[in-house]
Structures are given as structure tokens and as C-alpha cells.
Amino acid sequence: MKELSIANKVATAEANEFNVFELLSREINKLQLANNIGGGNRKRKKSSILSEVQKQGSTKLPSNKSVLVLGDNATGKTTLVAKLQGVENPKKGSGLEYAYIDVKDEYRDDMTRLSVWVLDGDPGHKNLLHFALNEQNYAHTLVILTVSMTQPWYWLEQLNHWIKVLSDHIETLKLEPGEKEEARQRLITSWQSYCEVGDDLDPGSPVKRTMRNNSIDDDDLLPLTDGALLTNLGLDIVVVVTKTDYMTTLEKEYDYRDEHFDFIQQWIRRFCLQHGTSLFYTSVKEDKNCDLLYKYLTHRIYGLPFRTPALVVEKDAVLIPAGWDSLKKISILYENMHSCKAEDYYTDIITAPPSRKTVSNREIEIQTEDEQTFLARQQEIIKQGGQVRSESPLRSQASKALPRTPGSAGQNSPSRKPIDVKMNPVTPGGEGVLANFFNSLLHKKSGSPATPPGAMSTPRANGSDSLLTPDKLSVRTDAAAELDRLARSVKKDVDFSQSEC
């Protein structure tokens, strides 16, 4: 009774913002005076209690705690961590992401940072797990397993997969002898010592936390409920179901009913009971249970207060603290399950929907021609003088719009005006010779030979030309030479000559 009275004085001093250490000093002086009179055993007992209270009053929040987040891709891991941080626009990384959450103890007026590791869902990144969970932080790590309500038919495979990944990784850790067993026993004790909120003493005070966690004798612990902690990894685990707002979509598009959601809930609660985990249904979009998840994490890691009891009424906001659930409580869900039973295999009831068929009438993919084959074919066309060139639609329309009359030399066709170019044999590339060549071709097709430059626009009275002069023969010779050169020139000159024809 004397020890409890001292604890109550400490709590009262905290509530009234008194100096706790001054009060403890007074009590220690009183007890030291009484201990000098009393026996040695009584002295050691009271000194131990006072040392424990003083230790709890002066200890700051530890800085070596961490959270490891595991789950498949697209289960909302990054978004969930950003919500716990208070970040609006999360940025997804790759491999192993690191973040931290600010944690504040209102009673001690202390603050620390909680490290958060987020492992990518790709199995190829499992080798990065030893950076987040190793021999140094094994006893100080809490694990979050995420699954998404958008694909409940994958929960069985995903949760079993990540539990196996976690178990296999723990086996590779070179822990001290007895450290793993000590962690497992600590988890069992936390389950057995779970108690409901609502005690007279403030559950958030350091004294209450000390009395709750340390003053319970092993003889007073209740035995584990049936089916609890059959798989004990020694780690505090929280299973988080994300995107519960998608339940309305499951009802509309996949014809899910209440009994489907009851079947899902009873299955995952039995899974959590077997592995000793907590369970949270969350929705970042609708802000459901996110704040409670933050408070629960700080409660499990730092012993900060958590006054919210289990929530099982709302199907999209379920909250099951570790140590609360049992097979008897889960069996209440069986009453609403008519078309299925709890013993049914999970994927037989919650089946994956058939994949939607892709559209088959899509356009046929066009294969490009090999570059060398295309160039070889163009080379053959050039050697043949462009005779196999296909007719251009524009050329066809122009020919229809401007019909040619046989024997006309350009009087009835404005497009057949001779090119008035001054011939200069010194022009680079033989441009003068090229102009003579084109003029000769134009008048040759219309039935008249080329004329001298000065007489290009002079019409013929009888439609015939005079005999060829030596100058005209020279032009014809130059034209023949130019034609032979163009046959071996680049494709650009050939196309130009054909467009003028």
C-alpha cells in the first residue's frame, strides 16, 4: 500500500505539473530514514520500487526503434507511410526506401524519430532485407504486412509469401543464444497481459505503463487462447488492409455481399490470431483508422497510451489489437455466412475474376521494309530510267485537269511554256547545258525541235520547224551527253527531270 501511495503521488504531481524529481527526493529521504529503522529486506524492496519509478520518470524515448513495411506492389505501402508522416504527395522509390515518423510523448515533453523501411514487392529485392532487419535491431523492430482490398483474392498467397520471407530471413540472422527465445516469450507475455482500457489511473502516465508492463507476476498471466501464436517469429506484427473504400466497387462490379466480407474478415482474423498479429482496416482516401494506426504503433513500440478498444462493427474500419481476439469472438461472423462456411478454402469462395478479353479487331501491325532491300530496289528503278515508278495521285489529278492536245506546242497548254533560262556554259554543274536539254525534250515531245533562245516564244505559222542548224545539233549532242550523265547521277536529278516531263 505504501508503494502504491507513492505512485499515486507521482501521478498527481505530473497532473499538476509539479516537479516529479523533487517529490521523489522527498519520498526517498523519508524511506531512507524508515529503512534505517526497519530490516534489510524491506530496505532493498522499497529502494528497488523507487529506483524503477525514478527510472521511468527520467527515461527519454529511445531512438533505435524502427518499422519494416512488407507487401506486394500496388498495396499502398508508400501512401500509407506518407499518411503516417503527414506528407501530402508521396514519392515512390525503388528497392528499399527509408523514411521516418516524428513521435512525441506529451507526458515527458520528449520527441524522437521512428525509422521506417519500405521493401519493394519485387521478389528480386529480398536481398536488401538485411539492411532493414538485422542482428542489431531485431529486438527493436515492428513489422507491417500490407494487403489491398482491391484484390482480396490474392490475400492468401501474399500473406503466406511474406510470412515465409520473414521467417526465412530470421533464420539467417546470427542472434545471441537465447535472444530469439526471449523475443518469442516477450510476445507471448504481451498477449497474455492484454487488458481493456478504462482503468481509474490514467493509462498514459509512465507510472501506469510501468505497473501494467512490469508488475504482473507470471502466476497472474492468463493462458493463451486456442489457436493463438501458433507461429511465433518473436516480432511484433501488424497486418494492415489498405484501400477499404474499394468495398463499394466490389459490391457493384463483382456482386460482393455482406457474407463475402464476413468470410474475408473471419479468415484474416484467424490468420492474425495464428501469427500473433494485430489487424487494421484502413483507407487513406477516406482517412479511416490512419490516426488510430499511428497511435497504436507508438503504443506498441514506445508504450504510449492507446485508449481505443477493438472495432468490429463497421466492415471497412476493423481494428483488432493484439491479444484481444479469440476463436469464440471470430465465430460471431459465422451467423451471417449462409452460402459458405468458415472451413471452406479461401480461394474457393473469394475467387479471382476472369480477365477481360482484349479487343481482337485492332489494326494489323505494319512491318517496315529492310533498308538495304529498299535501296536495292530503288537502284533497279534508276537503272531502268524510272519506267516502273508508280503514278502519284497529284500527278494524276494534274493530268486530268490539264489534258494535252496532240501536236500542240504550248499554245493551248500554259504548263508547257518553255523555260526562259540564260544558258551559260560556265555555270557550275553545267546548268546551261541542262536548260538546253530540257527545252529540247519539251519541243521534241510536241513534234518540234528546240529553238534558239531568242525565238523560244515565236509561234510557228504552219506548225513545223526549219532544218536543224549546227548550233542546234550541238545542243542535241550536249543533251545526249547530259542524258548519259544523269543516268549515272543521284536520284534527285532523275526525279527532277521526270517531274518536268
Side-chain angles (χ1 to χ4, degrees), residues 369 371-386 388-390 491 494-495:
E369 186 179 5
E371 180 182 3
Q372 296 300 323
T373 304
F374 170 77
L375 294 177
R377 183 162 53 83
Q378 297 302 319
Q379 185 179 19
E380 292 297 329
I381 294 175
I382 294 175
K383 289 181 180 180
Q384 296 175 11
V388 296
R389 180 178 178 181
S390 59
K491 180 182 176 182
V494 175
D495 290 340

Side-chain angles (χ1 to χ4, degrees), residues 231-361:
T231 303
N232 190 344
L233 300 179
L235 290 173
D236 207 350
I237 303 176
V238 180
V239 175
V240 179
V241 179
T242 62
K243 306 178 184 180
T244 57
D245 53 276
Y246 196 77
M247 285 184 172
T248 56
T249 305
L250 293 176
E251 293 175 338
K252 295 177 181 179
E253 297 186 4
Y254 300 97
D255 196 25
Y256 272 51
R257 299 182 298 275
D258 287 341
E259 62 178 342
H260 289 93
F261 295 117
D262 289 340
F263 180 84
I264 292 173
Q265 185 186 142
Q266 65 85 25
W267 179 86
I268 197 169
R269 283 174 63 179
R270 286 194 288 115
F271 176 88
C272 294
L273 184 66
Q274 176 183 348
H275 295 84
T277 75
S278 311
L279 176 63
F280 273 78
Y281 276 31
T282 64
S283 172
V284 175
K285 182 178 180 180
E286 298 183 356
D287 197 15
K288 288 190 175 181
N289 280 354
C290 295
D291 291 339
L292 292 178
L293 177 60
Y294 168 81
K295 293 180 180 179
Y296 186 76
L297 293 179
T298 58
H299 167 70
R300 298 294 294 184
I301 297 174
Y302 300 103
L304 298 182
F306 184 76
R307 303 181 179 90
T308 305
L311 303 176
V312 293
V313 177
E314 298 183 16
K315 63 182 179 181
D316 59 345
V318 177
L319 190 163
I320 308 293
W324 178 87
D325 215 352
S326 64
L327 292 177
K328 184 177 181 180
K329 295 177 181 177
I330 296 174
S331 64
I332 299 176
L333 296 170
Y334 302 162
E335 300 176 359
N336 298 328
M337 295 163 48
H338 305 292
S339 61
C340 57
K341 299 179 180 179
E343 296 79 13
D344 293 338
Y345 195 68
Y346 181 78
T347 54
D348 291 342
I349 306 300
I350 310 301
T351 58
S355 58
R356 298 179 180 178
K357 296 182 179 180
T358 57
V359 181
S360 59
N361 58 349

Side-chain angles (χ1 to χ4, degrees), residues 13 26 70 85 135 163 167 183-184 186 216 223 269 271 330 368 384 430 463-464 501:
R26 295 176 184 175
L70 303 176
Q85 289 179 290
E135 293 81 1
I163 284 293
S167 177
R184 292 174 178 174
R186 183 169 58 248
I216 299 178
R269 283 174 63 179
F271 176 88
I330 296 174
T368 59
Q384 296 175 11
S464 61
C501 293

Side-chain angles (χ1 to χ4, degrees), residues 360-372:
S360 59
N361 58 349
R362 62 181 181 178
E363 296 182 359
I364 301 176
E365 184 178 359
I366 299 176
Q367 298 292 337
T368 59
E369 186 179 5
D370 182 69
E371 180 182 3
Q372 296 300 323

